[in-house]
Amino acid sequence: MKIGIIGAGNIGGNLTRRLTALGHDVSVANSRGPETLEELAEETGATPVPAAEAAKGAQVVVVTVPLKRVPDLPSGLLDGAAEGAAVIDTGNYYPQQRDGRIAAIEDEGLTESRWTEQHLGHPVIKAFNGTYAQDILERPRPAGDPERMALPVAGDDTAAKQVVRDLIDELGFDTVDAGGIDESWRQQPGTPVYGLRAGAEAVRKALTEASLERPADFRG
Ligand SMILES: NC(=O)c1ccc[n+]([C@@H]2O[C@H](COP(=O)([O-])OP(=O)(O)OC[C@H]3O[C@@H](n4cnc5c(N)ncnc54)[C@H](OP(=O)(O)O)[C@@H]3O)[C@@H](O)[C@H]2O)c1
């Protein structure tokens, strides 16, 4: 599959490593330009590109930059993506450590992914946001393995969500349907499922135990 990854840090780098190893055709971008991604390209075989070109022709696009940087992404970022492309949002809102206060999230009650989606102008599928970057490399397991972790996946576009769930299965993880983007607060930072390393049953239970109230550590 043709996959564009925007953000080549902890998560974007490791997704580039695993997705190329599975044989996907990966283009990867950061903010500083493709010439700064030569090492990752050499290691993985991914194609480094400017961010504005990363989604070109892609069936899956991963947006994995710090939340506060989402508004800086090139406008029309997803215009050249394949029709019906699944856009994965891995983002989290860390107002105190990194992102500063975002009123639309805190006062208007937008979920983090709805906020990101509005900036991108394209529906998103929320996945990997509660997954430690290292686990993407170290914890894949074959289907049926009792140690296999499950990841919650939320999104409104059911076809795109299925594409993402199938890709995550290929990466070595089960998935749990966590509902639509308006419900995706159930997997935001500070919730029981955030960072949970467990199978599908425990992930489902953790999603039901989430509270809509934003934890103090994650308020700006
Ligand atoms: N780290 C984790 O374990 C983890 C787990 C789950 C979810 N997340 C979430 O996933 C997101 C990414 O986290 P991360 O830890 O991978 O971040 P990171 O290591 O800080 O990497 C961020 C990447 O985004 C790129 N970037 C920033 N602004 C950009 C722009 N305007 N255009 C293109 N690329 C841009 C950076 O490029 P430059 O270096 O060139 O600026 C860098 O490659 C965050 O929202 C984070 O909360 C992280």
Side-chain angles (χ1 to χ4, degrees), residues 35 62 75 97 114-115 146 163 180 182:
E35 64 285 358
V62 185
S75 64
Q97 294 98 320
R114 186 69 75 198
W115 181 85
V163 168
D182 285 339

Side-chain angles (χ1 to χ4, degrees), residues 6-13 29-33 36-37 51 63-74 89-94 98-99 127-134 194:
I6 299 155
N10 299 302
I11 292 279
N30 63 6
S31 78
R32 285 164 295 148
T36 65
L37 289 169
V63 176
T64 183
V65 306
L67 202 81
K68 70 169 176 190
R69 304 291 303 272
V70 168
D72 304 337
L73 291 169
D89 164 30
T90 77
N92 294 303
Y93 173 49
Y94 276 83
R98 189 189 62 198
D99 298 318
F128 298 109
N129 75 293
T131 310
Y132 295 101
Q134 209 51 29
Y194 189 71

